[in-house]
Amino acid sequence: MTFSEKLPAEDLTGLETALHEALNPLAAALRARTTGQPEEHMWHGEPVDIALSVLAAWKVVDQEVKRLTAVAAGTAGSYGASYEQLGAVWGITRQGARKKWPDAVSRPAPGATALDLFGGRAELTPADGAWTWAATAADGTRSDAAAAPTKEEAAALAGAFLKEHAR
């Protein structure tokens, strides 16, 4: 099976079942927070309110899937995948992949070094006898570019930032 082929119907049914099983506790917790009722009463109430609770839970799942998708694209990029490859897997063009995940594939400057630590990524770049670093952590937090006198100090600072913002 290539990346662009659809899953067989029985696999899609299994996926749907697993997603619903994972969603129910989240929907119950969200409904309990908004109604003040125990989670066991998830299915008690007006049908529209219950359906909206389920929709709110799907939104949370959708946001997390998008975040995890970006992490997966960035991980593939850090191992050398191109935007063409990312696009092929996702069923979009190279340009579409670049637009969807603009930071997934990096083109380091000459002498630059990338660090993949704690689920995040930092770029160390030589600059006028010093080193600058910038990072995107696993939780999505981005650092401003910072300078250090040596590559080792830049790596230490970037690593500390990535560790602080690990998920």
Side-chain angles (χ1 to χ4, degrees), residues 24-42:
N24 282 337
L26 176 61
L30 291 173
R31 183 152 168 77
R33 281 189 211 130
T34 58
T35 65
Q37 295 182 354
E39 290 183 20
E40 307 81 65
H41 293 132
M42 165 65 191

Side-chain angles (χ1 to χ4, degrees), residues 107-115 122-126 131-132 151:
R107 305 278 187 247
T113 302
L115 296 176
E123 297 286 336
L124 311 177
T125 309
W131 285 81
T132 61
K151 183 178 182 179

